[in-house]
Amino acid sequence: LAGFPAATSHAPGRAGWELLTAARREAAEFFGLSQPEGVIFSAGGTDALTMALRGILKDGDHVVTSDCERAATARPLTQWERRGRISRTRVEAGKDGIVDPQATLRAVAHRTRLVVRGHGGEALGILQPVEELARLLRDRPALFLVDASHTAGTVPLDMEAWGVDLLAT
């Protein structure tokens, strides 16, 4: 088995590894990711967002979000911003609830490490144009994290075709 840990030589360990590998392959295919080893399982969307934020952001980084991100994104970023660890620019949604991708692009600075955008939410039923935003960010060094916790499985997502770096569900 490719990537099979040498320390796991007993049958139950191999069986578990095979199940994990198959689940990663299935998730990668579902979300348009060609490398299944890039799939990391978490306890849920909030946990996935927290892991991504903690794994990417370092002191002094700049983050671009919107004024309509859910608490799982907004809460830790607000806390880190208040402590002076990061700086953040929040792009306002229009009256229609859509966050303009061009306005988001204008908020990206040379020191922006991460752009975070929720794909959609059940409260308003609005889908954000993350595919368009990903296309605009393609030539920028900032990573693009999409929170698809409320849309995964109901709205098709294609990470690589769109240019999404990280996806939390």
Side-chain angles (χ1 to χ4, degrees):
L1 296 165
F4 183 72
T8 309
S9 60
H10 62 308
R14 279 193 306 274
W17 184 259
E18 289 171 6
L19 286 172
L20 177 62
T21 301
R24 280 185 171 145
R25 273 196 306 267
E26 191 172 324
E29 184 178 323
F30 187 78
F31 292 115
L33 184 63
S34 62
Q35 298 179 353
E37 58 276 5
V39 174
I40 298 170
F41 293 104
S42 69
T46 298
D47 188 43
L49 286 165
T50 301
M51 286 188 338
L53 294 173
R54 285 186 176 168
I56 292 167
L57 296 176
K58 295 174 180 40
D59 289 351
D61 282 342
H62 177 249
V63 181
V64 176
T65 63
S66 73
D67 62 353
C68 57
E69 299 306 322
R70 65 190 194 99
T73 300
R75 215 178 287 131
L77 293 177
T78 298
Q79 196 174 65
W80 296 341
E81 186 178 26
R82 285 182 182 154
R83 292 179 184 161
R85 290 193 54 213
I86 65 164
S87 61
R88 178 171 49 152
T89 302
R90 290 173 209 79
V91 181
E92 289 186 27
K95 291 182 181 184
D96 59 359
I98 301 292
V99 182
D100 178 24
Q102 290 290 340
T104 302
L105 185 64
R106 287 191 297 274
V108 174
H110 71 279
R111 61 188 176 85
T112 303
R113 174 81 172 128
L114 182 67
V115 175
V116 184
R117 181 61 32 87
H119 188 208
E122 74 276 356
L124 300 176
I126 295 170
L127 284 179
Q128 296 295 332
V130 295
E131 184 176 1
E132 180 183 349
L133 180 55
R135 197 171 33 256
L136 292 171
L137 292 170
R138 219 170 250 156
D139 296 330
R140 303 292 174 118
L143 293 171
F144 185 34
L145 167 61
V146 173
D147 175 4
S149 300
H150 294 181
T151 57
T154 59
V155 178
L157 301 161
D158 193 329
M159 289 180 67
E160 289 181 1
W162 293 4
V164 172
D165 298 300
L166 301 126
L167 183 74
T169 65

